[in-house]
Amino acid sequence: MFKLTPRLKPNYTFSDWIAALNIFQKNPIDSYEKEFANKFQNYYGVMFQHGRTGLYALLKVWELENDEVICPAYTCVVVPNAIVLSGNIPVFVDSSKESFNMNLELLEKTITEKTKAIVVTHIFGYPMDVVKVQEIVKNAEQKYGHKIYVIQDAAHSYGAKWQEKLVTKYGDAAIFGSNISKVINSIFGGMVSTNSKETYEKLKSWRKSNSKASGFSKSIKRFIYFVAVNIAFNSYVYGFVNWLERIGALDRFVKYFEEDKIYFPTDWDMMPSSIEARVGRNQLKKYNYIMENRIKNAKNWINKLQDEECQFMQDMQGSTYSHCVALVENRDEWLEKYRNEGIQLGILIEYSIPYMKAYESYKRGEYPVSLEYSKKSINFPNWV
Ligand SMILES: *Cc1c(COP(=O)(O)O)cnc(C)c1O
């Protein structure tokens, strides 16, 4: 009766259980960092408890303070949260009409002499034109006479390529999120990868002096969470879980933002635990398989729905389809129709950040395209 295909689901298999339980692995965090950086062709990786913690740490070690950091209006709210909490000022750029990413012309106009960093997000796995971004940034650096850091936000775009080159090879650093809603995960956790030895060493030392120790009880809690996730995402159980979610009983676990608050979760500055790194390492091994199949599943949806009244972005080479997203006019009807067929659709991302209560004071003008996306986007489950 309750059977429901969830909108997202982590790819946990037997090998992840083995990894989670293999407490004899030596220094899994170090290994995970190296393997991760290697996979996405950067020299160094530093693991954090969340992707947002990594962004926060980058802004701190680069000593940005009261500076303007540009990011998309249409992105995950944890990004501007990290910018504000690090003592900086988020400046938003509206989306392009051709993809869900920042409009490059607007980006160029938004840079001022106060701009010290730009978060380049490849949302839903659609690559941004990183070559053009580089050119814009270079011109601005010459004009204003100071460094402008470029951070690739690869939380949705593990492995995305622009002109056959990984987007994470561009810029000063890349951030990744790897909670259970991401393409691969380390239970919780996030990563920063970089080619700069200096940035790497500073991040390591920042983490050392600013992180709370991650003890045995946290490992146990993470293991319990891992087990719970395995149970909850079974499609028979999930129907019931979804019902609990809809009546609000799970807000504590599933809600990741509040309209009117800029905050971090309480575990934000904890050292990631070994169990998370062990699961992350195993997920990394399955990365190619997961990615190929996510793309395949997304393309199946797109083919299947081509005559329906929903609009997909044009297929872009190098996209990784972290989500299979379409724009529809009457979102609630779509949600309802699919739910009746036993499939849960997602609505990610359902806000344009400068229009959120917490960010009103950072709003500069209007962001109509992102606002439209926030009202019309819907995503079809393409997990493996
Ligand atoms: C998930 C996500 C992040 C990082 O999220 P954490 O939950 O902090 O790991 C960053 N940017 C985008 C666009 C995301 O979706």
Side-chain angles (χ1 to χ4, degrees), residues 49-53 75-76 78-79 121 123 153 155-156 175-179 181-182 189-190 323 349:
Q49 189 59 80
H50 298 275
R52 67 197 90 171
T53 315
T75 188
C76 183
V78 305
V79 170
T121 308
I123 209 99
D153 180 350
H156 290 183
I175 59 164
F176 300 81
S178 44
N179 62 48
S181 72
K182 310 295 186 190
H323 304 76
I349 301 163

Side-chain angles (χ1 to χ4, degrees), residues 164-233:
E164 300 187 6
K165 208 167 146 188
L166 285 175
V167 295
T168 41
K169 293 189 74 142
Y170 293 83
D172 298 284
I175 59 164
F176 300 81
S178 44
N179 62 48
I180 58 155
S181 72
K182 310 295 186 190
V183 288
I184 60 170
N185 75 81
S186 49
I187 311 183
F188 285 87
M191 188 73 76
V192 175
S193 72
T194 178
N195 287 329
S196 156
K197 189 160 190 230
E198 194 188 335
T199 297
Y200 167 70
E201 282 169 355
K202 283 183 180 166
L203 282 176
K204 281 276 225 194
S205 97
W206 185 91
R207 188 180 65 181
K208 199 167 175 196
S209 13
N210 293 282
S211 302
K212 292 196 201 87
S214 190
F216 183 65
S217 76
K218 183 176 157 229
S219 302
I220 297 289
K221 278 188 196 151
R222 289 300 195 246
F223 182 67
I224 293 170
Y225 181 82
F226 173 80
V227 174
V229 165
N230 272 280
I231 297 169
F233 282 94

Side-chain angles (χ1 to χ4, degrees), residues 93-111:
V93 172
D94 199 10
S95 318
S96 136
K97 287 201 166 125
E98 285 77 46
S99 79
F100 292 101
N101 292 325
M102 275 192 290
N103 177 322
L104 285 169
E105 273 169 41
L106 292 178
L107 170 65
E108 190 162 16
K109 287 187 197 144
T110 305
I111 300 175

